[in-house]
């Protein structure tokens, strides 16, 4: 069965990334890994995360933090802690990491999915947080479904109208079927979840039966938080990992 692992917002958290890759490997063979941007920024292990991804046949798009770290996004667009983390990251990226980040496209078509960091209309910067906005975005999406990151919150919205009397989106035991309708799906964040659950989030897509499986993985959050503080990054970036927001 063709299986794709979908990762977003890793944010230089190598412990979370390793835990997710281990969990994904334990569930069976993986066709490839799709990365929806923000591999770096906030966390203390940007080069380690990129090296881990380079071992896989990854298809990745650029996130706003990836661009900020290589000087392709104006740091005034980031809040103070995010800008500080971008500057910290820029100063430490290896040349191989710069090469990896520089090669990322804003959007990738992987039928039946469009992969972007933000949204089909604003691929790098737009946050999609409502069903109403997801429907407006359908005309910007040339493929049936869209996979996004950026909000750090797992979510699924319909881009088309649900049939009368039917639920628009039904996630049952963490599984969403894409068979009926057009969907915009966010797997949540590997390295800095913001939905109140500190465990790393990711998703599997099974292409044969068109299902998305939302997954959570426990990892050593305390060690990741300590590495951020020890690296001299803003302390709140460590603290927020413990509460998942
Ligand atoms: Zn992010």
């Amino acid at each position: 069965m063709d299986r794709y692992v979908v990762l977003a917002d890793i944010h230089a958290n190598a412990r979370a990334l390793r835990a997710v890759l281990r969990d994904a490997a334990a569930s069976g063979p993986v066709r490839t890994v799709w990365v929806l941007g923000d591999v770096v920024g906030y966390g203390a292990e940007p080069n380690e995360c990129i090296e881990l991804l380079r071992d896989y046949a990854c298809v990745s798009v650029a996130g706003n933090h990836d661009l900020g770290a290589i000087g392709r996004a104006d740091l005034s667009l980031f809040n103070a802690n995010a800008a500080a983390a971008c500057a910290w990251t820029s100063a430490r990226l290896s040349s191989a990491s710069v090469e990896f980040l520089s090669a990322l496209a804003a959007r990738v078509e992987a039928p039946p999915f469009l992969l972007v960091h933000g949204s089909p209309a604003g691929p790098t910067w737009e946050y999609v947080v409502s069903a109403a906005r997801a429907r407006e975005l359908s005309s910007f999406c040339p493929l049936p479904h869209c996979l996004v990151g950026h909000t750090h919150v797992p979510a699924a919205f319909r881009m088309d109208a649900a049939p009368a009397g039917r639920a628009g989106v039904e996630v049952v035991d963490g599984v969403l079927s894409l068979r009926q309708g057009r969907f915009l799906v966010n797997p949540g964040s590997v390295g800095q979840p913001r939905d109140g659950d500190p465990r790393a989030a990711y998703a599997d897509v099974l292409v044969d039966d068109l299902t998305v499986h939302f997954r959570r993985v426990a990892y050593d959050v305390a060690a990741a938080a300590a590495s951020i503080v020890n690296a001299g990054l803003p302390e709140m970036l460590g603290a927020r990992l413990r509460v998942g927001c």
Side-chain angles (χ1 to χ4, degrees):
M1 182 171 281
D2 257 0
R3 174 167 168 253
Y4 295 81
V5 169
V6 188
L7 311 180
D9 297 286
I10 295 162
H11 282 295
N13 185 339
R15 288 173 182 82
L17 178 57
R18 275 193 211 96
V20 159
L21 292 171
R22 257 198 310 272
D23 188 75
S27 313
V30 175
R31 168 80 173 251
T32 192
V33 176
W34 287 337
V35 182
L36 305 176
D38 281 1
V39 175
V40 304
Y42 293 136
E45 295 120 9
N47 295 311
E48 290 87 335
C49 288
I50 290 170
E51 277 162 29
L52 284 165
L53 293 178
R54 288 165 79 101
D55 289 344
Y56 288 79
C58 277
V59 174
S60 310
V61 296
N64 52 317
H65 284 259
D66 302 321
L67 298 183
I70 55 169
R72 289 198 189 164
D74 187 342
L75 292 193
S76 70
L77 296 170
F78 293 85
N79 68 46
N81 285 324
C86 274
W88 183 96
T89 304
S90 300
R92 286 159 181 86
L93 285 177
S94 67
S95 55
S97 294
V98 171
E99 195 180 316
F100 176 91
L101 296 174
S102 302
L104 300 178
R107 45 193 283 150
V108 168
E109 295 191 2
F113 298 97
L114 174 69
L115 316 184
V116 289
H117 182 59
S119 87
T124 308
W125 290 93
E126 182 178 6
Y127 294 92
V128 184
V129 294
S130 74
R133 182 57 183 155
R135 275 197 298 279
E136 289 172 1
L137 290 166
S138 65
S139 59
F140 295 89
C141 186
L143 289 154
H145 310 291
C146 186
L147 298 173
V148 306
H150 200 35
T151 67
H152 299 208
V153 175
F157 300 112
R158 273 187 85 124
M159 292 193 286
D160 58 343
R166 298 272 302 280
V169 175
E170 266 186 272
V171 179
V172 180
D173 292 335
V175 181
L176 168 73
S177 171
L178 307 178
R179 282 214 181 276
Q180 308 285 333
R182 299 184 61 205
F183 293 86
L184 181 145
V185 177
N186 189 324
S189 168
V190 171
Q192 194 199 76
R194 294 180 190 164
D195 62 343
D197 181 346
R199 293 176 302 166
Y202 77 103
D204 277 327
V205 172
L206 302 185
V207 172
D208 297 359
D209 67 357
L210 268 183
T211 51
V212 178
H213 299 247
F214 292 94
R215 305 203 190 273
R216 300 305 282 249
V217 187
Y219 73 99
D220 193 343
V221 174
S227 77
I228 284 174
V229 175
N230 293 339
L233 283 156
E235 280 194 26
M236 74 80 72
L237 297 177
R240 73 188 303 176
L241 294 187
R242 294 198 187 88
V243 287
C245 73

